[in-house]
Amino acid sequence: MKRKVDFENHQFKSDWTDRFCFIVPDHAKSKPTCLICTQTVAVCKTDNLKWHFNTMHAASFNANYPPESDQRKQKIANMITSYKHSVSTISKSTSAQESATAASLQVSWNLAKAKKPFADAELMKSCAVAMVSKVLHHDEKQKKTVVELLKQVPLSANTATRRVEVLAADCFSHLLTDLKKAEAISLAIDSSRDRTDMEQLSVFARFFDGKTFREELLCLLPLTGRTTGEIIFTELTQFFVKNGLYVGKIVSIVTDGAPSMVGQHKGLVSRLSAVNPALLAFHCIIHKSVLCAKLCGKMKETMDTVTRLVNFVRESSSLQHGLFRAMLDEMSAEHKDLLLHNDVCWLTQEFKMFLIDNDMMGYVFFLCDIMSHLNCLNLQLQVEAFQSKVKLLEKDIQGRKLHFPRLREHCEKNNMGEDQVMQDFVSSLAKNFYERFEYIPKLSSDILLFLRQPFSVSADGQWTAEAKKLWPSIDEAALQMEVLEMGTSDVLKAQHTDVGVNDFWTTWFPKLDSETPELLQCSYSQCSPPHTYDRNRLSNAHLDQCLRIVTTEYRPDIRSIASSQCCHFSH
């Protein structure tokens, strides 16, 4: 067999320094270094060092400094001192450069997290220098040292751009590592057009990383041309293949319900279902709540009128906008300005001052109250609870109006009675919510109950049959046995009482694979669906990196990244 020098463990001998003028530096993986010319040899062996010394230096060095002489020993000692001094100088310079690079990386990370322009990095440096100058004005020496260090930190816009690329790549690397280990992945997919009318497909992933459930931006895919289900499926699968991920791990998907997503034959969901027949598909809850709240008739006329007035005050007339802001200051209103209007976001009570003579004020107050309830739904995403609340609102609008405080106050001041239009709208809202969210209790209410309260569900209940339909590979009999065994564990019961649902399952999740495989598949429901709140206005320049840093929970090791970079002082 061919000899492998790396495994021969050659040791450097102290007498080689005097004989051949070689030393071994004090750092990892160092090689014997010549004190005369600073060249290194690949293998720490007598013959290698002897050959280098005799070939390059022996004639002149031995003539000037004979072996075993005091002059030779003193010369070698001086060369060792000089070498260590030069190495120390280089090491200090390298350390300073790494520190400057680490500072630059940290500033770029903070800028990206705050969604600020890269050009603001130089402004931050100027502010830091100005702050140090003021804070350390009594100590000129220390001030000069700190200011010089700050000025060495590279923070130009181009540098900040490169830093963001490196940081985003580091976070993405950690994400891919965790995703490859995950047993199941759930996706939330949405698309929107950026300022250049490029369709950007944002894909968020929810998965269990071995310790906790994570929700991370998986990718941002620009779609040129048409955005059909086939194109979206192709782009998504190509991304998975390119990054070593398996599409079959996708157990659920949330979309906005567009035909390209949920088309029966050519939609993205149907194509993914062909890969994983047990795939669960959901409609975005927030989007459905918007559809439920679509206005009609008198309500639409009122909302359109308010929208035109808002846009007139906010955009079309600087005079009216200024007068409105002044009025808000006089009233000590909670909000100091008027936002551009969105159907389901808000209606401000203070706006009534501009509509005080309008016959529609009763409808404006009604819409203000009902939209506030929808805002709570969008923030809390508690659909089942809201369906019960809508039924209560349906009764309340016909009676005391406890949940319509603005409308109630307006009716009392103006001696207004019941309005059939408002009652019909709330009834329509309740019906709409029931129809659009009817699938939730039918699909998995019992399974979700098991996940929330695993010790209160019977092992021989109907939910195991539902689980079998969702995951055909499950052995229903084995699942029931596993649930019974789980129910007899006092340790698990105590743990479930002490911690929350997520903490309970994340603590026990790693044990499921080997001990209770059927429960493992059921617990995949914890991975679905994702419910991220990140909806962004998009641009093309380094969009993926910026959005990844803004949304990620990963934290890069900045010092390690800095040490791996080619560090230098530059701007």
Side-chain angles (χ1 to χ4, degrees):
M1 292 179 62
K2 200 171 184 178
R3 293 176 60 189
K4 294 185 178 180
V5 176
D6 294 343
F7 298 103
E8 293 184 359
N9 195 26
H10 291 285
Q11 299 294 324
F12 185 84
K13 297 180 180 180
S14 58
D15 65 318
W16 290 350
T17 301
D18 183 60
R19 292 170 59 191
F20 310 123
C21 298
F22 270 84
I23 64 169
V24 177
D26 296 330
H27 57 79
K29 297 182 180 180
S30 58
K31 297 178 179 180
T33 303
C34 178
L35 291 170
I36 301 173
C37 64
T38 67
Q39 291 187 15
T40 61
V41 295
V43 182
C44 187
K45 294 175 62 177
T46 305
D47 292 341
N48 294 54
L49 276 63
K50 183 179 180 179
W51 181 89
H52 175 88
F53 179 75
N54 290 338
T55 303
M56 307 291 294
H57 312 297
S60 60
F61 193 81
N62 287 336
N64 295 324
Y65 307 99
E68 306 299 333
S69 65
D70 293 338
Q71 294 90 342
R72 185 186 185 96
K73 293 179 181 179
Q74 185 61 44
K75 178 61 177 177
I76 292 176
N78 292 339
M79 287 193 296
I80 292 174
T81 302
S82 177
Y83 177 81
K84 289 183 176 180
H85 176 73
S86 62
V87 169
S88 175
T89 302
I90 295 173
S91 177
K92 288 180 180 178
S93 176
T94 302
S95 178
Q97 291 169 351
E98 285 186 8
S99 296
T101 301
S104 176
L105 286 164
Q106 187 64 60
V107 170
S108 300
W109 174 266
N110 291 345
L111 283 175
K113 269 291 184 185
K115 294 175 278 191
K116 297 296 182 182
F118 298 151
D120 285 359
E122 283 286 2
L123 176 62
M124 293 183 69
K125 181 196 287 189
S126 301
C127 292
V129 170
M131 290 171 62
V132 168
S133 299
K134 296 301 181 183
V135 172
L136 300 178
H137 66 91
H138 60 284
D139 191 337
E140 287 296 328
K141 183 177 180 180
Q142 187 179 6
K143 180 181 75 173
K144 183 179 179 180
T145 302
V146 176
V147 168
E148 287 300 320
L149 289 173
L150 289 174
K151 287 183 177 179
Q152 290 177 346
V153 178
L155 286 176
S156 67
N158 289 336
T159 300
T161 302
R162 293 194 299 272
R163 301 288 188 247
V164 166
E165 291 172 354
V166 171
L167 292 166
D170 184 75
C171 293
F172 184 58
S173 175
H174 290 304
L175 173 61
L176 284 181
T177 300
D178 288 343
L179 280 173
K180 290 174 183 178
K181 297 177 183 177
E183 296 292 336
I185 303 172
S186 184
L187 301 182
I189 300 181
D190 193 14
S191 64
S192 58
R193 293 187 179 273
D194 60 20
R195 294 177 180 178
T196 63
D197 285 333
M198 173 74 74
E199 193 77 18
Q200 301 282 357
L201 187 73
S202 57
V203 183
F204 283 83
R206 178 175 168 86
F207 61 97
F208 182 70
D209 67 357
K211 296 180 180 178
T212 185
F213 288 97
R214 284 187 176 274
E215 289 185 15
E216 292 283 335
L217 174 68
L218 179 59
C219 60
L220 197 68
L221 302 175
L223 303 175
T224 57
R226 301 180 64 188
T227 56
T228 62
E230 180 181 1
I231 292 175
I232 295 174
F233 176 76
T234 301
E235 291 289 336
L236 186 63
T237 51
Q238 286 179 352
F239 173 85
F240 269 67
V241 172
K242 178 182 177 182
N243 292 283
L245 301 174
Y246 178 45
V247 178
K249 284 186 177 182
I250 303 174
V251 297
S252 72
I253 183 171
V254 181
T255 70
D256 59 3
S260 60
M261 297 290 180
V262 298
Q264 185 174 1
H265 301 293
K266 298 183 179 181
L268 174 63
V269 173
S270 62
R271 294 175 185 273
L272 289 175
S273 296
V275 179
N276 180 9
L279 180 75
L280 300 178
F282 299 89
H283 192 303
C284 174
I285 291 176
I286 294 177
H287 186 261
K288 278 207 168 186
S289 69
V290 173
L291 295 177
C292 291
K294 282 296 183 182
L295 304 175
C296 57
K298 190 68 176 177
M299 295 302 170
K300 186 178 187 304
E301 179 185 346
T302 302
M303 187 66 80
D304 290 343
T305 301
V306 173
T307 301
R308 288 194 296 271
L309 287 170
V310 169
N311 291 338
F312 172 74
V313 171
R314 185 63 180 86
E315 283 191 315
S316 303
S317 173
S318 56
L319 174 61
Q320 296 296 331
H321 187 200
L323 292 174
F324 186 77
R325 285 170 58 89
M327 183 195 72
L328 293 179
D329 287 335
E330 292 177 4
M331 295 173 61
S332 298
E334 178 183 357
H335 303 286
K336 301 302 179 184
D337 202 354
L338 198 61
L339 300 177
L340 291 178
H341 182 71
N342 179 294
D343 267 4
V344 294
C345 284
W346 60 273
L347 283 172
T348 58
Q349 186 173 2
E350 288 79 5
F351 199 66
K352 68 181 182 180
M353 298 300 294
F354 266 45
L355 303 173
I356 196 67
D357 296 325
N358 196 302
D359 295 335
M360 297 182 179
M361 280 310 302
Y363 296 119
V364 171
F365 284 123
F366 167 75
L367 288 173
C368 190
D369 287 328
I370 199 67
M371 293 303 176
S372 67
H373 292 298
L374 288 170
N375 284 341
C376 291
L377 170 63
N378 286 345
L379 292 174
Q380 298 172 1
L381 303 180
Q382 299 294 329
V383 177
E384 294 179 59
F386 190 79
Q387 286 179 287
S388 300
K389 291 178 182 179
V390 172
K391 294 179 181 178
L392 177 62
L393 296 177
E394 190 175 5
K395 295 179 180 179
D396 187 54
I397 190 67
Q398 302 175 19
R400 301 166 61 189
K401 298 180 178 60
L402 295 175
H403 301 281
F404 298 87
R406 299 176 182 86
L407 176 62
R408 184 179 69 248
E409 181 182 354
H410 178 74
C411 292
E412 291 173 352
K413 287 183 178 179
N414 296 276
N415 295 321
M416 290 180 57
E418 296 183 1
D419 190 293
Q420 190 62 40
V421 175
M422 298 179 190
Q423 295 177 14
D424 291 343
F425 178 80
V426 177
S427 298
S428 176
L429 185 66
K431 181 181 178 181
N432 218 337
F433 262 91
Y434 176 78
E435 291 175 351
R436 291 189 181 274
F437 291 99
E438 185 179 11
Y439 74 92
I440 289 181
K442 284 185 178 180
L443 178 65
S444 55
S445 61
D446 292 333
I447 295 176
L448 290 176
L449 179 61
F450 168 72
L451 292 171
R452 294 168 186 164
Q453 302 176 16
F455 301 101
S456 63
V457 178
S458 173
D460 58 352
Q462 183 62 30
W463 72 273
T464 58
E466 291 186 17
K468 176 67 175 178
K469 292 178 182 178
L470 289 175
W471 299 284
S473 60
I474 281 182
D475 184 336
E476 187 178 354
L479 174 61
Q480 292 181 350
M481 290 296 184
E482 289 171 6
V483 174
L484 284 173
E485 291 177 8
M486 177 182 174
T488 59
S489 173
D490 294 332
V491 175
L492 290 177
K493 289 180 180 178
Q495 186 180 8
H496 183 264
T497 303
D498 295 339
V499 301
V501 175
N502 271 353
D503 290 337
F504 172 76
W505 285 103
T506 54
T507 301
W508 200 41
F509 205 95
K511 305 174 185 177
L512 294 180
D513 192 14
S514 58
E515 297 180 7
T516 50
E518 312 307 324
L519 275 175
L520 176 66
Q521 283 196 271
C522 284
S523 59
Y524 285 162
S525 298
Q526 286 287 93
C527 289
S528 60
H531 46 268
T532 181
Y533 298 94
D534 297 288
R535 305 266 307 219
N536 296 272
R537 291 188 302 172
L538 307 176
S539 62
N540 274 334
H542 295 87
L543 183 57
D544 188 274
Q545 291 90 352
C546 293
L547 189 55
R548 184 174 305 283
I549 291 175
V550 168
T551 58
T552 189
E553 293 182 2
Y554 289 103
R555 289 295 179 269
D557 186 345
I558 288 178
R559 180 61 65 175
S560 176
I561 294 174
S563 64
S564 66
Q565 299 289 299
C566 295
C567 305
H568 55 84
F569 298 122
S570 66
H571 297 278

